[in-house]
Amino acid sequence: MKTADPELMRAMNRLSVLDVIRRHGPIARVEISERTQLSPTTVSAITASLLDDGLILPRHEGDIRSETVRGRPRVMLELNPGAARVVGAKIAANRMVFVVTDFCGTVLATLTLPIRIDRQPISVVADIVEDGVRRCVLDAGLSLADVHSICLGLPGVIEHRSGHIRSSPILRDSNVDFAAEMSSRLDTRTIVESDATAIALGHHWFGRARDLEDMVLVSLEQTLGLGVLHNNRVFRGAGGLSHNLGDLVLGMNSEGVVRLSSQAGETAILSFQHSEARFAEAVRLGRGMAHAQALIEADDSQLITAAVRAGETIGFTIANIVTLFAPPRVIVVGSSLALGEPFLKSLRDAYALAMPPSLHDVSELVFDNSGDDFWARGAAAVALYELYESPWSTTGPASSV
């Protein structure tokens, strides 16, 4: 019988210990052992290594010099916020949002660039990203030499391990080695990740899934994305591929394959010709969903019909995801939530109708309207997650992807 890879097991145990300290610190070693189910000897060895690397700090409870306190002070462990600084960015069709965080995920600086990029060649996009990263790092009172890694989150099919963007609705080019390009420009390790995976890790670290080790996130932005967390680890496809939920096949018609994006994607919802001229301008500028919200609140029948159809299709899709993964929580995020109650009601009704009776109480459905800053923090969480997984020293040089 083949045994587990010792190096992999050590990395997994290290990640587990760090994650417990992140969630529950300051925390004693004995409690870490209880929460991780690792032996006290293993926990002591891992925490000693983490202390040597400067990733965690000791905090002494009690004062050994006090006559009223007997015994040695209790040593508690917590993350060292100064262990690393990372940059996270959300890259969308009409804006870029950057954040700089410390090792605990505390935001040190933010920057928003309201600029349309979906018609620009990749060299121009790279120029804008480079300038945004440098400006945000400077605003944080740092230099790029102080930054350990950068994560760029954007919609599309992303190959995480290589940093290749296979396709993205906001880029004119396909099969772009964006991680290598940005690592070279910034001379800093750069990760490229799907925005759905980034926001899933953001919720795991800072948001609505902080208490969970398993969850599913459905992103309803320009691309319909899926983020899956299992046993505290991101689940990805072959080569670290992201999941493009919009490519899911719903059936066939006279025109060929019918995919989810054609029924419930942002483009499909906003694609019809509307009588109000301002609506077309809002769509062209990437503000279609916000304008659609106002029209739905004014009882616009065309948009209400489109919202109900999209909500129903997404509801059935989420029911299928729950049937496959049975996560304790499904978090739904993205611009489509701006469609309001017609969309949400049809989604909930379709979800309830499609769920098997045996699974009706398994998953909690949560809707979250986190802003762009939170999405960028999610990208930063990806960079931090990579640091957690890898045994590295804060004094060593950052390597490029």
Side-chain angles (χ1 to χ4, degrees), residues 93-168:
N94 63 340
R95 65 199 180 281
M96 294 185 187
V97 183
F98 302 87
V99 300
V100 178
T101 80
D102 63 20
F103 193 58
C104 296
T106 302
V107 174
L108 306 178
T110 64
L111 173 67
T112 299
L113 300 178
I115 185 167
R116 185 164 185 178
I117 67 166
D118 58 349
R119 294 180 179 175
Q120 304 296 332
I122 193 65
S123 59
V124 174
V125 175
D127 285 342
I128 300 169
V129 172
E130 180 184 353
D131 288 348
V133 169
R134 291 185 184 278
R135 284 179 55 184
C136 197
V137 169
L138 191 63
D139 289 346
L142 305 170
S143 72
L144 274 174
D146 301 314
V147 172
H148 185 275
S149 55
I150 298 162
C151 179
L152 310 175
L154 67 162
V157 180
I158 314 296
E159 196 173 89
H160 173 81
R161 290 179 191 167
S162 67
H164 277 76
I165 303 172
R166 292 200 174 194
S167 65
S168 174

Side-chain angles (χ1 to χ4, degrees), residues 217-229:
L217 181 132
V218 175
S219 168
L220 308 177
E221 290 274 299
Q222 192 170 0
T223 297
L224 304 178
L226 178 68
V228 180
L229 192 79

Side-chain angles (χ1 to χ4, degrees), residues 11-198:
M12 291 177 64
N13 290 342
R14 175 188 174 94
L15 174 62
S16 179
V17 169
L18 259 177
D19 196 61
V20 165
I21 296 172
R22 176 184 68 84
R23 288 200 213 178
H24 305 287
I27 185 172
R29 289 179 177 84
V30 63
E31 189 177 349
I32 295 173
S33 178
E34 292 169 356
R35 289 184 177 274
T36 59
Q37 308 258 312
L38 296 173
S39 71
T41 302
T42 299
V43 169
S44 292
I46 292 173
T47 54
S49 172
L50 296 174
L51 284 164
D52 287 343
D53 286 344
L55 304 186
I56 61 175
L57 296 171
R59 175 187 290 186
H60 297 273
E61 283 195 351
D63 188 344
I64 197 169
R65 295 167 299 179
S66 172
E67 296 181 358
T68 61
V69 177
R70 295 182 179 274
R72 299 174 60 187
R74 193 181 186 201
V75 178
M76 310 293 281
L77 301 173
E78 60 188 354
L79 292 186
N80 176 10
R85 275 91 173 185
V86 299
V87 178
K90 177 184 179 180
I91 304 175
N94 63 340
R95 65 199 180 281
M96 294 185 187
V97 183
F98 302 87
V99 300
V100 178
T101 80
D102 63 20
F103 193 58
C104 296
T106 302
V107 174
L108 306 178
T110 64
L111 173 67
T112 299
L113 300 178
I115 185 167
R116 185 164 185 178
I117 67 166
D118 58 349
R119 294 180 179 175
Q120 304 296 332
I122 193 65
S123 59
V124 174
V125 175
D127 285 342
I128 300 169
V129 172
E130 180 184 353
D131 288 348
V133 169
R134 291 185 184 278
R135 284 179 55 184
C136 197
V137 169
L138 191 63
D139 289 346
L142 305 170
S143 72
L144 274 174
D146 301 314
V147 172
H148 185 275
S149 55
I150 298 162
C151 179
L152 310 175
L154 67 162
V157 180
I158 314 296
E159 196 173 89
H160 173 81
R161 290 179 191 167
S162 67
H164 277 76
I165 303 172
R166 292 200 174 194
S167 65
S168 174
I170 66 172
L171 299 180
R172 285 168 43 180
D173 306 85
S174 58
N175 294 317
V176 177
D177 191 355
F178 203 50
E181 173 68 20
M182 298 313 303
S183 293
S184 174
R185 283 170 172 258
L186 297 165
D187 196 26
T188 305
R189 180 174 186 265
T190 302
I191 305 161
V192 178
E193 185 61 90
S194 78
D195 56 359
T197 299

Side-chain angles (χ1 to χ4, degrees), residues 296-313:
I296 286 175
E297 290 173 353
D299 293 328
D300 184 286
S301 60
Q302 282 182 290
L303 276 168
I304 289 174
T305 299
V308 168
R309 181 190 66 182
E312 182 178 274
T313 308

